Amino acid sequence: MKRNFINQTGDSNKFWTIEQFEEKYFVQWGKLGTEGRSNEKELGSKDECYKEIEKLIKEKTRKGYLEIKDLNIVPQKTILEYKPMDENIFWEIISTFNWKKTGDDDAVLKPALKRLVSMTIEDIQEFAEIMAEKLYNLDGLIYASNIGPDSYKNEKEFFSTDYFLYVRCCVIANGKDYYESVLNDPTQMPEEMDFEAILYLPEEAYNKKLKTDEEFIETRLSFETFSNKENWKRKSPNR
């Protein structure tokens, strides 16, 4: 059965369809009202084909696509209710990271950047504020002591404050569930893993929105290592 999807978020007005024929599937995509482009792929079995289709559909829905019954019954672009930036929207944007492009940070962040640029300057600022707060919450002795070989040991031994910040970035980049899990159990901090690129996401969106490269976003809380002085005194999570 052919399944139809449309994306009318922001400036988008696109369609995407997919249909399975035994071990093959056929996809078509483009701007609504046009024939668009098409492609097909053959897998090893019907079951393998079905699983890949389901995976592709999940990716599309994460990017804002909605399933509809008939592409011919889309009279005009749907006007979606504006929702200001909050915790839920923040994590929704984080979930759009394209980890299939791991190794190319710009490509990983591209869906999130596009979403942020489509929002208001105030929303982008609030995104930066929420991210700064979450990085601040992870800034502390109990977290710095659980990042593997580069963990904080004592005041006399070298400890990279920048690297610890980038490890905290990795926690956030892996989504809400992982962030909350690490926040409550510091032993789940990632070891020898970091994701510095997320730090520059709000600023890049801000500059694209204003069509400049000179603006710098300042946040109420500092996310630099050792900023959360109380957390550096604690030996257990502050629940």
Side-chain angles (χ1 to χ4, degrees):
M1 181 181 72
K2 187 175 183 179
R3 298 182 66 178
N4 308 298
F5 298 82
I6 60 171
N7 185 342
Q8 295 183 311
T9 58
D11 296 327
S12 297
N13 196 30
K14 302 179 289 186
F15 75 91
W16 182 81
T17 70
I18 191 163
E19 188 171 9
Q20 182 173 354
F21 299 95
E22 300 294 332
E23 69 277 4
K24 294 182 181 180
Y25 67 78
F26 181 81
V27 292
Q28 193 172 2
W29 70 94
K31 185 177 180 180
L32 277 165
T34 70
E35 291 187 3
R37 300 169 61 188
S38 61
N39 193 17
E40 66 177 45
K41 183 176 180 180
E42 183 173 354
L43 283 300
S45 66
K46 289 173 60 176
D47 185 57
E48 188 178 347
C49 184
Y50 174 79
K51 289 180 180 179
E52 180 156 332
I53 287 174
E54 289 300 306
K55 185 177 180 181
L56 291 172
I57 289 174
K58 286 182 180 179
E59 290 177 357
K60 287 297 179 183
T61 54
R62 282 201 299 268
K63 293 178 180 178
Y65 280 80
L66 300 174
E67 186 167 10
I68 62 173
K69 290 183 178 181
D70 190 343
L71 283 178
N72 294 316
I73 310 178
V74 187
Q76 61 183 11
K77 183 173 178 179
T78 304
I79 300 176
L80 299 178
E81 180 185 357
Y82 168 70
K83 295 181 179 179
M85 180 64 64
D86 60 13
E87 287 259 345
N88 291 330
I89 301 296
F90 174 85
W91 287 119
E92 184 181 311
I93 291 174
I94 296 295
S95 72
T96 67
F97 287 4
N98 184 3
W99 293 112
K100 283 187 174 181
K101 300 292 185 179
T102 297
D104 183 347
D105 291 346
D106 289 340
V108 171
L109 295 173
K110 186 176 180 180
L113 177 62
K114 184 177 180 180
R115 175 75 181 277
L116 277 174
V117 172
S118 73
M119 303 182 80
T120 68
I121 290 296
E122 291 75 19
D123 288 327
I124 296 171
Q125 177 69 45
E126 186 59 23
F127 180 92
E129 297 286 0
I130 293 172
M131 185 167 72
E133 180 183 23
K134 297 192 179 307
L135 289 170
Y136 180 84
N137 291 340
L138 293 172
D139 177 33
L141 177 62
I142 52 176
Y143 302 105
S145 301
N146 284 282
I147 60 173
D150 297 299
S151 293
Y152 179 87
K153 298 176 178 63
N154 55 61
E155 294 180 356
K156 296 181 179 180
E157 295 192 45
F158 173 76
F159 173 69
S160 174
T161 56
D162 285 342
Y163 179 68
F164 177 48
L165 169 59
Y166 306 153
V167 174
R168 286 183 277 142
C169 288
C170 180
V171 176
I172 293 172
N174 276 277
K176 180 180 179 180
D177 290 344
Y178 182 60
Y179 168 80
E180 292 181 347
S181 176
V182 170
L183 192 64
N184 291 308
D185 181 4
T187 63
Q188 295 191 45
M189 282 289 287
E191 297 186 10
E192 300 184 82
M193 293 176 61
D194 64 270
F195 194 64
E196 177 186 0
I198 194 177
L199 279 178
Y200 317 114
L201 176 59
E203 188 171 307
E204 186 175 354
Y206 195 84
N207 284 322
K208 280 186 176 293
K209 188 76 176 181
L210 295 178
K211 296 181 172 56
T212 180
D213 58 2
E214 299 178 354
E215 297 295 328
F216 177 77
I217 293 182
E218 293 187 4
T219 54
R220 295 184 293 271
L221 288 174
S222 172
F223 48 69
E224 297 297 337
T225 299
F226 296 127
S227 293
N228 192 335
K229 299 185 185 303
E230 288 301 314
N231 255 12
W232 278 93
K233 297 176 183 178
R234 293 193 181 100
K235 295 184 179 181
S236 62
N238 181 29
R239 299 173 187 267

